[in-house]
């Protein structure tokens, strides 16, 4: 809402400087988006007349204009606007001018054509928000005159952000009342008089309100014999200042009254309204499904039965509260004007304007709610302006569907309660002063204030609304800050919440960086093998996605992480190690809310660290490179790096019984994928992503991915760990290499060793896996370092040897292992 | 030359031989030459038996002195030589300490998660607990019970993502669905007030969703932290003190705060909270749009209508709620040029924090 100070001061004598007023408004609940100063900075902007207009030879949408600015020769200006004709008068910024937004005007070539200035729009001159075309001036503007001088006065315009509850502040009068209340000055209520001596409106117009629930009040006046023309300059200037574009005197007057009083008005050309018996018919009804209406903006609208329209005897002529129709629009040939001032249901207007994508100054006021008692005053104001400016004769009387007198409601405010809520001793005198400054009458009774609410403040419905009014004007800044004094509370995280943070910390210590991805699943996420077989009913679907590509919620997190891998690879990042703790969604027929599962997901790709001078050292110190398939190539992260991360996590959570078993997941590479299990719980999966899936995401492999259920990890985590004796007796260490078939899993060899050795076998560490020269084809060598140690004495070599050999025999029998020679 | 003189000579020769020795081998040679089985001092000591009773103690003690002297010199020299050898070895082992160290990979926390944790910690210190709620919500919790009118623009399908409700027949339009992606963390307020009795002091961090096309300052998915207090005798002054404490902890005790009255459907009185700009200290700059202030929070006293929905007596209990956008705080604190960086997973960005 733009409020020019010149207009505001008709109703209130503002004593504060504009910045001080803006601050005061901010601190009492009216946000000030900007303070615009117009006029005073428009040096070197003059009135010019377009004397020639030809298309720019190099650019479709540009014109080359010749403009008379009062000099000896017209000047040439290249111009992109489309709304002007030869002989129009426009403001012209000459070289050296500096426009309010800071633009400096210079001589320049635009696409090869010399341009010696700029033809200006209202927005460019800081005169409003209309930037769609040039500001075409009335025909009597003197060519060459300084625009500032022509414009008459410099002005200051406040751009206010009115909250949805303050319908009353959508007008100059409402803002003036608020300014008076918050700055402690007098509000000057305007009075207007009107002579309505023409023939009665009743003889010319019939009104039927078919749906009073959506239109509680519909009032109209009729003005005969108006002369259509441009508005006088003062009126046009004010409309420009609030961001509207002048059209003609009748339309401008309806807009002017709307900005001034907050009541939207509409003007119909009486001659275009159909009826019978020589009387025009106005019918307020719901549209029929599929009914068509061409609105003022020239667009054909398809209506439905949820929408309220104004119709004549034939068809819809206006979209109630949103926009008028083209057919009944006031034009140059209009003689008699029917003025409408109505109250429409705010929800209905809101729904209609949103479903048609049509927001107007009128709809934004109806949406907040207009004062139901203000219709006739607005009609009177507009009719008197029509009389004065357009020379019309006002028909006698008003037609009014609901000529209700203003109703005053009474609310009670307990001063003690107010102080309890605010936490500050505000004296009753202050409360009364504030409420009365807002235009509310206050009656003081025992322990309670009776407060009369005028119809222009429909938002004041409850005691708490009055508490807010007093607090915001008394001053939130005056409230002394305290902390809640209540006892009986203790802060902290639950175990699950702190374990969750701990999981994050462990993953970071293991080298993974946390990320965040969208919960929306893309089309290709749903096409991944293994995901594409999920029944349609089990996807959580958005009904109004922003794109069909993101119409579902994810069931897995790894696709989003693959997108990040690809993003990084495309930018040459040598290593990607990411984790996310997030939510996946699934549903089923019959469910209202979907299931939400918290998951931990991660991806690893490339290298842990950038290449380093240390790498060469590490390589040279490990004499033989291992030709076996499980050896990593050039430090590229693979399955075992992912497994190591999960093992570290499980270790930290005390989940010792977890096992990894070879498993098939359609999106993972067969032979390099595993399920993570503890007890009967499947904690999740891990593996290298299938090359075909990588291709779908344009990723270079290998990419290791995992997903673990956060809930299952938390329920299996061991919160209090058991103390175990630290070994006191010396160990005996033996290294062995066992040859087994390639198909034998390392875990079963280890299990066989553990089961076969006595209780003195303390630690088993696999330190080498080898295939190749010296080992038969189809076999592999597993080298273990075994530590024997007794809990209660020092073992002798002979004892260990005996145990060891017994163990080897059993292992050979169990998994077909033989000792490598 | 008598034996005593001879001993003195041996002593002098041995000492100079010790000091002339340059390594352990030479030193051993010296030891053998004087103290070995065939060493010159040993020879004399062996001959002691043939001396007279007067001479024996004199020569014996002199010889012993010489032996101790030589041994001491040998020991000292041995230490000197080995420490010299160690010094040389260490010189050889010296490295260029400016070469890069052998670093371990270290992951970082996401900026948004880090700020969220900071906020949580501040309020845990004030006695709050953390509450959570579903991300796919019912319109009742997201809007209705928060006193949001049926025709409120935020409910429209152009602003809010609606989710297919599988408990009813298909074919509904999106604005008829009662299921949606929560547009703020405030529904957690309602769920907590429904399920627990005052005193309630909770913080609810979480993801929220709005139908915004991603651009430098908007994401369709972002993070909020909601706070809720319900207790006897809660005042607006308590709200103000709580949030001033928070802003000082979060942004620094030199920052000022201001409360601007505002409107939210579920609180009354309501306010927006600004902190003074950290770049210009309140004098106005490009960063704060020349206002000197940065908007951080929305807050207010719980609206009695909300209490009515959850069955809490608004005459007995008071309460306040507040909410903040974590992405906005991140953008303000770190001057991020583009919020989309937060969801791209760019390692070069994530590793900065």
């Amino acid at each position: 809402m733009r409020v020019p100070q010149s207009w505001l001061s008709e109703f209130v004598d503002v004593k504060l400087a504009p910045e001080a007023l803006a601050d005061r408004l901010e601190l009492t609940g009216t946000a000030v988006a900007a303070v615009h100063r117009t006029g005073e900075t428009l040096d070197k902007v003059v009135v010019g007349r377009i004397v020639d207009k030809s298309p720019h030879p190099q650019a479709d949408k540009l014109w080359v204009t010749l403009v008379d600015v009062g000099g000896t020769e017209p000047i040439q200006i290249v111009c992109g606007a489309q709304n002007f004709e030869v002989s129009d008068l426009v403001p012209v910024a000459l070289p050296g001018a500096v426009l309010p937004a800071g633009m400096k005007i210079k001589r320049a070539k635009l696409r090869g054509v010399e341009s010696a200035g700029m033809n200006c729009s209202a927005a460019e001159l800081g005169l409003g928000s209309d930037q769609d075309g040039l500001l075409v001036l009335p025909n009597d503007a003197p060519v060459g005159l300084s625009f500032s001088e022509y414009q008459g006065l410099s002005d200051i315009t406040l751009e206010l952000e009115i909250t949805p509850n303050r319908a009353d502040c959508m007008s100059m009068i409402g803002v003036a009342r608020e300014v008076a209340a918050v700055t402690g000055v007098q509000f000057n209520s305007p009075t207007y008089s009107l002579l309505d001596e023409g023939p009665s409106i009743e003889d010319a117009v019939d009104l039927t309100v078919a749906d009073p629930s959506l239109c509680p009040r519909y009032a109209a006046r009729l003005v005969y014999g108006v002369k259509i023309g441009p508005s006088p300059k003062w009126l046009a200037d004010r409309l420009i200042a609030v961001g509207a574009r002048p059209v003609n005197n009748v339309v401008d007057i309806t807009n002017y009254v709307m900005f001034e009083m907050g009541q939207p008005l509409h003007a119909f050309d009486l001659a275009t309204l159909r009826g019978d018996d020589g009387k025009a018919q106005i019918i307020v009804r719901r549209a029929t499904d599929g009914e068509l209406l061409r609105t003022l903006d020239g667009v054909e609208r398809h209506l439905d039965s949820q929408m309220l329209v104004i119709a004549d005897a034939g068809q819809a002529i206006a979209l109630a509260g949103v926009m008028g129709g083209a057919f009944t629009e006031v034009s140059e040939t209009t003689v008699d004007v029917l003025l409408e001032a109505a109250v429409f249901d705010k929800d209905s207007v809101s729904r209609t304007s949103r479903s048609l994508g049509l927001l107007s100054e009128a709809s934004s006021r109806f949406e907040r709610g207009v004062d139901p008692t203000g219709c006739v005053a607005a009609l009177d104001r507009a009719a008197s302006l029509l009389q004065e400016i357009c020379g019309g004769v006002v028909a006698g009387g008003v037609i009014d569907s609901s000529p209700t007198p203003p109703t005053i409601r009474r609310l009670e405010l307990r001063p003690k309660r107010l102080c309890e809520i605010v936490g500050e001793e505000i004296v009753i005198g202050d409360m009364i002063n504030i409420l009365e400054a807002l235009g509310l009458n206050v009656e003081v009774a025992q322990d309670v204030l009776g407060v009369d609410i005028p119809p222009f403040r429909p938002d004041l419905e409850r005691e708490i609304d009055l508490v807010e009014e007093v607090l915001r004007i008394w001053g939130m800044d005056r409230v002394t800050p305290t902390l809640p004094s209540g006892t009986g509370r203790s802060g902290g995280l639950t175990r699950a919440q702190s374990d969750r943070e701990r999981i994050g910390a462990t993953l970071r210590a293991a080298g993974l960086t946390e990320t965040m991805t969208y919960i929306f699943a893309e089309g290709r996420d749903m096409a991944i093998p293994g995901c594409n077989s999920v029944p349609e009913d089990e996807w959580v679907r958005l009904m109004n996605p922003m794109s069909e590509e993101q119409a579902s919620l994810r069931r897995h997190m790894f696709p989003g992480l693959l997108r990040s891998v690809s993003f990084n690879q495309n930018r040459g990042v040598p290593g990607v190690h990411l984790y996310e703790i997030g939510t996946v969604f699934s549903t089923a027929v019959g469910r209202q809310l979907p299931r939400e599962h918290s998951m931990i997901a991660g991806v690893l790709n490339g290298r842990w660290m950038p290449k380093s001078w240390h790498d060469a050292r590490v390589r040279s110190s490990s004499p033989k490179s291992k030709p076996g398939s499980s050896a990593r190539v050039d430090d590229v992260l693979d399955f075992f790096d992912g497994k190591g991360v999960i093992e570290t996590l499980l270790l930290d959570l005390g989940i010792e019984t977890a096992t990894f078993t070879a498993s098939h997941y359609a999106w993972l590479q067969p032979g390099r994928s595993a399920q993570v299990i503890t007890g009967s719980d499947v904690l999740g999966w891990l593996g290298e992503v299938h090359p075909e899936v990588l291709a779908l995401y344009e990723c270079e492999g290998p990419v290791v991915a995992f997903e673990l259920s956060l809930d299952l990890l938390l329920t299996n985590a061991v919160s209090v760990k058991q103390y175990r004796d630290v070994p006191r007796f010396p160990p005996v260490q033996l290294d062995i290499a066992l040859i087994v078939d390639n198909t034998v899993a390392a875990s079963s060899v280890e299990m066989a060793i553990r089961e076969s050795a006595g209780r003195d076998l303390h630690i088993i560490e696999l330190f080498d896996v080898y295939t190749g020269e010296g080992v038969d084809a189809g076999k592999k060598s597993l080298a273990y370092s075994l530590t024997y140690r007794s809990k209660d004495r020092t073992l002798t070599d002979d004892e260990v040897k005996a145990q060891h050999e017994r163990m080897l025999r059993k292992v050979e029998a169990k998994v077909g292992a033989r000792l490598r020679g | 030359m008598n034996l005593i003189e001879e001993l003195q000579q041996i002593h002098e020769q041995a000492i100079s031989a010790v000091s002339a020795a340059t390594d352990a081998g030479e030193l051993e040679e010296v030891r053998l030459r004087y103290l070995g089985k065939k060493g010159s001092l040993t020879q004399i000591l062996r001959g002691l038996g043939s001396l007279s009773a007067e001479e024996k103690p004199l020569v014996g003690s002199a010889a012993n002195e010489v032996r101790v002297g030589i041994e001491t010199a040998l020991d000292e020299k041995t230490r000197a030589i080995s420490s010299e050898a160690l010094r040389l070895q260490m010189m050889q082992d010296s490295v260029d300490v400016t070469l890069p160290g052998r670093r371990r990979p270290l992951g970082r926390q996401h900026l948004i998660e880090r700020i969220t944790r900071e906020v949580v910690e501040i309020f845990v210190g004030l006695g709050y607990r953390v509450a959570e709620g579903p991300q796919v919500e019912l319109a009742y919790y997201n809007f209705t019970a928060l006193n949001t009118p049926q025709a409120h623009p935020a409910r429209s399908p152009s602003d809010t993502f609606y989710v297919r409700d599988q408990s009813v027949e298909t074919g509904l339009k999106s604005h008829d669905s009662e299921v949606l992606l929560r547009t703020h963390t405030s529904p957690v307020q309602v769920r907590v007030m429904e399920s627990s009795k005052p005193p309630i002091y909770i913080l609810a961090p979480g993801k929220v969703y709005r139908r915004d096309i991603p651009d430098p300052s908007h994401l369709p998915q972002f993070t909020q932290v909601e706070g809720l207090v319900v207790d006897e005798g809660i005042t607006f002054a308590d709200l103000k003190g709580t949030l001033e404490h928070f802003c000082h902890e979060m942004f620094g005790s030199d920052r000022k705060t201001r409360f601007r009255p505002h409107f939210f459907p579920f609180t009354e009185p309501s306010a927006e909270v600004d902190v003074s700009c950290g770049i210009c200290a309140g004098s106005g700059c490009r960063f704060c749009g020349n206002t000197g202030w940065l908007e951080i929070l929305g807050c207010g006293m719980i609206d009695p209508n909300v209490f009515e929905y959850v069955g809490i007596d608004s005459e007995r209990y008071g309460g306040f709620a507040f909410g903040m956008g974590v992405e906005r705080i991140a953008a303000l604190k770190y001057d991020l040029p583009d919020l989309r960086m937060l969801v791209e997973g760019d390692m070069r960005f994530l590793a900065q924090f």
Side-chain angles (χ1 to χ4, degrees), chain A residues 504-505 507-514 577 579 608, chain B residues 104-109 347 350-351 353:
Chain A
L507 291 171
R508 293 195 291 281
L512 273 65
T513 286
E514 187 176 29
H577 349 100
Y579 79 91
W608 273 127
Chain B
R104 320 302 309 172
L106 176 67
R108 314 297 175 93
Q109 193 164 29
M347 293 293 295
L350 297 173
F353 302 103

Side-chain angles (χ1 to χ4, degrees), chain A residues 756-779:
Chain A
S756 309
R759 61 192 186 95
D760 290 340
L761 177 61
H762 187 210
I763 300 168
I764 307 175
E765 265 163 358
L766 177 68
F767 68 87
D768 193 28
V769 179
Y770 176 76
T771 58
E773 205 179 322
V775 174
D776 292 346
K779 304 269 186 188

Side-chain angles (χ1 to χ4, degrees), chain A residues 23 26-31 163-165 347 350-351 354 367 414 417 419-423 462-468 471-472 476-494 497 500-501 508-520 536-546 553 563-564 567-568 571 573 575-581 583 585 587-594 596 608-609 613-614 617, chain B residues 99-110 112-113 117 120 124 126-138 147 150-151 153 156-158 160-167 172-174 177-179 181 191 199 201 207 209 211-214 219-221 223 229 231 234-242 244-245 258-263 268-271 301 303-305 314-315 317 320 327 342-348 350-351:
Chain A
D23 277 353
E26 285 271 4
L27 290 179
T28 52
T30 309
T163 53
N165 57 326
D347 292 355
S350 169
R351 213 170 283 132
R354 260 158 239 282
E367 252 176 39
R414 293 164 291 169
R417 178 77 180 143
C419 294
E420 280 169 8
I421 292 170
V422 174
R462 300 167 298 162
E463 182 182 42
I464 194 70
D465 299 325
L466 298 176
V467 171
E468 179 174 62
L471 172 59
R472 72 181 179 89
M476 288 182 173
D477 52 334
R478 292 167 69 186
V479 175
T480 310
T482 55
L483 286 175
S485 56
T487 55
R489 66 179 193 270
S490 63
L493 299 183
T494 62
Q497 287 163 351
R500 178 191 164 119
E501 297 202 2
R508 293 195 291 281
L512 273 65
T513 286
E514 187 176 29
T515 190
M516 229 169 68
T517 58
Y518 285 124
I519 62 159
F520 308 109
E536 207 274 341
D537 287 336
E538 294 178 17
W539 287 95
V540 179
R541 295 278 187 190
L542 296 180
M543 305 182 75
N544 56 336
M546 285 190 301
L553 301 189
R563 270 188 278 285
S564 294
F567 183 97
N568 280 290
R571 285 155 185 81
V573 177
V576 186
H577 349 100
L578 294 170
Y579 79 91
E580 179 179 8
I581 301 182
T583 311
F585 302 83
T587 189
V589 173
R591 284 192 76 93
Q592 187 170 42
L593 291 183
E596 298 187 14
W608 273 127
M609 304 290 287
W613 68 282
H614 296 292
R617 250 176 63 120
Chain B
L99 282 171
R102 214 166 281 136
R103 281 183 32 213
R104 320 302 309 172
L106 176 67
R108 314 297 175 93
Q109 193 164 29
H110 193 276
I112 293 304
E113 195 64 21
R117 302 272 67 91
V120 167
V124 163
L126 288 175
Y128 289 57
R129 302 191 74 86
V130 173
E132 286 152 305
Q135 299 179 45
V136 182
E137 254 300 1
L138 295 175
N147 201 32
Q150 279 301 327
S156 85
S158 60
T160 296
F161 287 108
Y162 283 88
V163 172
R164 177 174 62 173
D165 180 348
Q166 299 236 69
S167 67
L172 288 178
K173 286 185 182 167
S174 50
S177 175
E178 280 297 305
V179 186
L181 290 186
R191 287 183 176 272
Y201 290 79
K207 298 251 163 57
Y209 307 89
R211 280 186 90 252
D212 282 323
I213 291 169
L219 294 176
Q221 166 181 317
T223 315
V229 166
D231 204 345
I234 293 296
T235 65
F236 183 82
D238 292 337
L239 169 62
K240 196 176 163 186
T242 299
E244 282 192 358
H245 170 81
R258 83 173 175 175
F259 285 66
R260 284 180 293 105
H262 198 68
F263 173 78
E268 185 160 6
S270 306
M301 307 302 289
D303 193 291
N305 287 354
S314 63
E315 287 287 314
Y317 292 104
F320 60 72
E327 279 76 3
L342 294 167
V343 289
E344 282 164 345
D346 189 335
M347 293 293 295
R348 300 164 303 173
L350 297 173

Side-chain angles (χ1 to χ4, degrees), chain B residues 34-84:
Chain B
Y34 296 96
L35 302 179
K37 277 181 187 166
K38 291 177 183 167
S40 46
L41 185 62
T42 314
Q43 299 295 334
I44 289 178
L45 286 167
R46 274 192 196 142
L48 275 183
S50 60
L51 294 179
S52 68
E54 291 107 54
E55 274 184 316
K56 202 187 272 178
L58 284 174
V59 174
S61 103
N64 209 37
E65 262 175 48
V66 169
R67 185 181 57 81
V68 169
I70 294 172
E71 280 176 349
T72 308
L74 278 168
D75 283 354
E76 278 168 11
K77 188 66 180 183
T78 304
R79 273 197 295 278
I81 284 174
S82 72
S83 87
E84 176 62 11

Side-chain angles (χ1 to χ4, degrees), chain A residues 356-516:
Chain A
L356 293 175
L358 189 58
L359 300 178
S360 63
E361 291 284 353
S363 71
S364 74
R365 284 170 176 76
F366 283 118
E367 252 176 39
R368 286 177 160 85
V370 302
D371 176 359
T373 65
C375 295
V376 173
L379 287 175
D380 290 355
R381 171 72 167 143
S384 79
L385 285 171
L386 282 174
Q387 217 168 27
E388 180 187 322
I389 291 167
C390 316
V393 174
V394 180
V398 174
I399 51 171
D400 192 343
S401 71
S402 173
T404 43
T407 52
I408 303 274
R409 289 171 298 125
R410 169 158 285 208
L411 290 180
E412 293 195 335
L413 173 64
R414 293 164 291 169
K416 182 164 165 284
R417 178 77 180 143
L418 186 150
C419 294
E420 280 169 8
I421 292 170
V422 174
E424 190 71 55
E425 287 306 315
I426 300 177
V427 299
I428 292 180
D430 283 356
M431 298 183 198
I432 295 169
N433 288 343
I434 288 166
L435 293 170
E436 290 193 330
L438 286 165
L440 319 178
N441 280 327
V442 181
E443 190 189 328
V444 185
Q446 184 79 27
D447 296 335
V448 71
L449 302 179
V451 184
D452 290 335
I453 310 300
F456 58 80
R457 286 303 302 272
D459 58 312
L460 302 181
E461 296 176 308
R462 300 167 298 162
E463 182 182 42
I464 194 70
D465 299 325
L466 298 176
V467 171
E468 179 174 62
E469 292 301 294
V470 171
L471 172 59
R472 72 181 179 89
I473 293 177
W474 188 78
M476 288 182 173
D477 52 334
R478 292 167 69 186
V479 175
T480 310
T482 55
L483 286 175
S485 56
T487 55
R489 66 179 193 270
S490 63
L493 299 183
T494 62
R495 201 194 122 207
Q497 287 163 351
S498 54
D499 275 357
R500 178 191 164 119
E501 297 202 2
R502 174 176 169 162
I503 286 170
T506 304
L507 291 171
R508 293 195 291 281
L512 273 65
T513 286
E514 187 176 29
T515 190
M516 229 169 68

Side-chain angles (χ1 to χ4, degrees), chain A residues 233-294:
Chain A
K233 188 173 164 318
W234 67 267
L235 201 164
D237 287 349
R238 282 199 168 167
L239 289 181
I240 290 164
V242 297
R245 181 188 287 192
V247 180
N248 60 47
N249 48 10
V250 173
V251 172
D252 292 353
I253 284 168
T254 60
N255 284 330
Y256 184 86
V257 173
M258 173 178 68
F259 285 111
E260 185 172 81
M261 305 177 77
Q263 167 68 53
L265 298 175
H266 186 65
F268 296 103
D269 180 345
L270 183 71
T272 63
L273 301 180
R274 285 149 295 193
D276 32 57
D277 297 343
K279 282 169 88 173
Q281 291 265 354
I282 292 287
I283 303 158
V284 186
R285 60 163 170 84
R286 285 170 187 259
T288 53
D289 281 322
E291 190 169 1
L292 293 177
L293 171 66
R294 194 132 69 99

